[in-house]
Amino acid sequence: MMQNIILSKSNKQISGTVNLTGSKSECNRALVIEALSNGKVRVENVSDAADAVLLAGILRKTQESKARNQEVLAGDEANPHPATETPNLVDIGPAGTAMRFLTAYYAIQDDEVILTGSQRMKERPIGVLVDALRELGAHIDYEEKEGYPPIKLKGSFEQLTSKISIKGNISSQYITALLLIAARLPFGLELHIEGELTSRPYVEMTLAMLQSANIQHVWTDNVIAISNQEFATTSLYIEPDWSAASYWYAIAALADEAELFLTGLTPYSLQGDSVITEIMANFGITSQFKDGGVHLLKEAKPLSRKIFDMKECPDLAQTVIVVCAALGHEATFTGLETLKIKETDRILALQTELAKMGVKLIEKGQVYKLDCSEKFIPERMFINTYHDHRMAMAFAPLALIIPQLEFENGPVVDKSYPAFWTDLEKQGFTVEETQG
């Protein structure tokens, strides 16, 4: 039986201190950099998000296997070419970032690997990245459906070119996956980005983290160039997760009174989701950085902003849309193009769940508008999470205005914020577990 969560809050006041886990986005990049550096780079403050724990374990096993194989080859002079083994099966479950990053990582390794995942992962496209890697010289086959996982990476990489092009309006994870391996390519990489770049802050985060490991780049207009070069011996410290922080900003926005302290966060973050401070200022939430974190304070302020462009922070979209819906604020949203290929079709999921309180999210081309004309506050609301951690956490703040919420599959939050329900309980929410 699936474990559901029943969530409620007896009042609309919130105060206290929250210690957030390390950023999943930063951690996943750092773990791949660590693996590519052959031990020169070490990751500190590794996130306890399920995706990061899974990726760390897979990369650790791969590194250990490589070390064993090297020992065998070094000690087997009589047989320098041992028989080819059955390809390793690597199952990343629902971890989309891991699928993209590992596709590029294994493409330049020697061993054969079959990379697979959950049923939803098999529905999420990977063709753009596979095409780019094939163009570079990778040997990759599809095991089932063309353009989708599972895929077989055959090793024996021989670089054919250093110049490739990729569309800028696709997932930034494809671009990041290529940039992460660039310094390990014999001829380096010259990546031409076609059109406008979606989620630019995530690409900037990747480049900044590579630079921290001594991998230099040149970004001129729409071209990012990284030469073949060595990683430095260094440590990468993972910041607390601004995406996780966004749910506490949403809680503050829906509270009557709010005073929260989120530890470890700084105004100089690599994470694009730190823009939540600017977005939530529209909802009367002030952010003061001091004492080794950020203090949130709710102040009375009329809400006037009508248009929110989420192009550079798509992981905040559900959070901001739900807050606007709860307040009956008929805002317009743009930059949501990538939401349909996430853990679920997040547009459809939002439309379905918001309808349970009479709110419509109307799609017109690439523009989305909230219609709150028939909004109502039910006594109880059941939230389907669609195996999507952000659906659960984005809707949780509604417990401040709806007497009782029940969430299908409560453990889904483990993907990025395992302590979410526990942290809510510490801040005065009632959290009950039940069998769905």
Side-chain angles (χ1 to χ4, degrees):
M1 296 289 286
M2 191 174 290
Q3 185 185 71
N4 289 1
I5 293 291
I6 297 175
L7 186 67
S8 60
K9 183 84 165 67
S10 60
N11 57 52
K12 295 186 69 172
Q13 287 76 45
I14 187 80
S15 65
T17 297
V18 182
N19 298 303
L20 299 171
T21 186
S23 163
K24 179 169 73 78
S25 295
E26 281 190 29
C27 192
N28 285 341
R29 286 161 171 77
L31 289 169
V32 176
I33 290 171
E34 181 182 56
L36 289 166
S37 76
N38 296 322
K40 289 185 176 181
V41 177
R42 296 295 181 190
V43 183
E44 296 181 3
N45 194 35
V46 174
S47 171
D48 62 3
D51 278 14
V53 172
L54 176 68
L55 181 58
I58 289 170
L59 289 170
R60 183 175 59 252
K61 287 180 181 178
T62 300
Q63 294 296 304
E64 290 172 351
S65 177
K66 283 173 64 177
R68 284 196 301 270
N69 289 342
Q70 287 171 356
E71 289 175 5
V72 169
L73 287 171
D76 193 0
E77 297 178 2
N79 183 19
H81 302 289
T84 302
E85 296 181 357
T86 303
N88 293 319
L89 181 67
V90 177
D91 189 341
I92 54 80
T97 306
M99 172 59 76
R100 277 71 178 266
F101 291 3
L102 288 175
T103 296
Y105 173 78
Y106 284 125
I108 62 170
Q109 305 302 312
D110 293 330
D111 298 332
E112 283 197 9
V113 171
I114 293 177
L115 193 55
T116 189
S118 64
Q119 184 55 46
R120 172 57 183 167
M121 189 56 58
K122 294 180 180 182
E123 299 167 357
R124 298 178 68 178
I126 195 77
V128 170
L129 179 56
V130 168
D131 287 348
L133 290 165
R134 282 173 169 175
E135 191 175 346
L136 285 170
H139 302 284
I140 306 173
D141 289 337
Y142 295 106
E143 292 289 278
E144 295 177 12
K145 184 179 177 182
E146 191 77 11
Y148 296 83
I151 55 176
K152 179 188 284 187
L153 301 108
K154 299 181 180 181
S156 304
F157 179 85
E158 292 184 14
Q159 190 169 3
L160 303 176
T161 181
S162 62
K163 298 180 181 180
I164 59 172
S165 297
I166 194 166
K167 291 182 179 179
N169 64 351
I170 45 89
S171 171
S172 63
Q173 291 176 7
Y174 298 152
I175 296 171
T176 283
L178 294 167
L179 295 175
L180 287 172
I181 65 169
R184 279 281 176 246
L185 300 176
F187 310 135
L189 178 66
E190 189 176 293
L191 187 62
H192 294 250
I193 299 170
E194 299 176 352
E196 190 174 11
L197 177 59
T198 300
S199 304
R200 184 185 180 99
Y202 287 100
V203 176
E204 293 173 339
M205 174 198 292
T206 302
L207 293 171
M209 295 184 72
L210 284 167
Q211 194 157 331
S212 295
N214 199 41
I215 301 301
Q216 308 301 319
H217 71 275
V218 177
W219 191 343
T220 307
D221 297 326
N222 68 328
V223 179
I224 304 173
I226 297 178
S227 62
N228 175 270
Q229 54 195 293
E230 282 300 316
F231 291 87
T233 300
T234 188
S235 295
L236 295 178
Y237 179 80
I238 307 304
E239 298 178 293
D241 190 2
W242 271 105
S243 303
S246 72
Y247 308 115
W248 293 100
Y249 273 88
I251 287 167
L254 296 186
D256 287 342
E257 300 174 14
E259 192 170 351
L260 285 167
F261 179 59
L262 309 181
T263 62
L265 294 169
T266 75
Y268 311 108
S269 174
L270 298 177
Q271 300 169 58
D273 284 357
S274 62
V275 74
I276 194 67
T277 60
E278 299 170 24
I279 293 173
M280 285 298 172
N282 296 282
F283 297 86
I285 309 302
T286 62
S287 302
Q288 187 176 11
F289 292 91
K290 63 178 185 179
D291 307 322
V294 59
H295 292 264
L296 312 188
L297 185 65
K298 173 74 176 283
E299 297 180 346
K301 181 179 181 178
L303 179 54
S304 58
R305 182 172 171 180
K306 286 289 188 180
I307 299 176
F308 295 87
D309 184 358
M310 313 304 293
K311 177 180 63 182
E312 296 191 344
C313 52
D315 283 346
L316 299 181
Q318 291 148 290
T319 306
V320 179
I321 289 170
V322 171
V323 168
C324 287
L327 297 174
H329 183 59
E330 297 189 333
T332 297
F333 299 86
T334 59
L336 307 184
E337 291 80 14
T338 62
L339 264 62
K340 293 184 178 183
I341 60 167
K342 296 286 189 176
E343 281 78 348
T344 185
D345 179 341
R346 288 178 172 171
I347 297 297
L348 180 59
L350 281 166
Q351 291 169 329
T352 304
E353 299 311 302
L354 289 175
K356 295 174 181 177
M357 52 189 291
V359 176
K360 297 176 183 176
L361 180 63
I362 300 170
E363 178 179 358
K364 291 185 178 180
Q366 295 186 340
V367 177
Y368 299 80
K369 182 175 174 56
L370 280 175
D371 178 356
C372 302
S373 59
E374 298 179 11
K375 174 197 158 192
F376 65 94
I377 304 299
E379 283 296 309
R380 188 177 185 281
M381 186 166 157
F382 183 88
I383 307 295
N384 291 95
T385 59
Y386 308 90
H387 305 290
D388 185 349
H389 55 133
R390 300 207 187 281
M391 282 299 293
M393 294 185 285
F395 276 81
L398 290 180
L400 288 161
I401 64 169
I402 295 174
Q404 189 179 85
L405 296 176
E406 182 174 350
F407 293 86
E408 169 214 26
N409 188 13
V412 72
V413 301
D414 292 352
K415 182 177 177 70
S416 62
Y417 189 172
F420 182 67
W421 303 118
T422 303
D423 285 350
L424 286 178
E425 204 164 23
K426 289 177 181 177
Q427 304 308 325
F429 288 79
T430 299
V431 179
E432 301 175 54
E433 296 178 0
T434 184
Q435 297 300 318

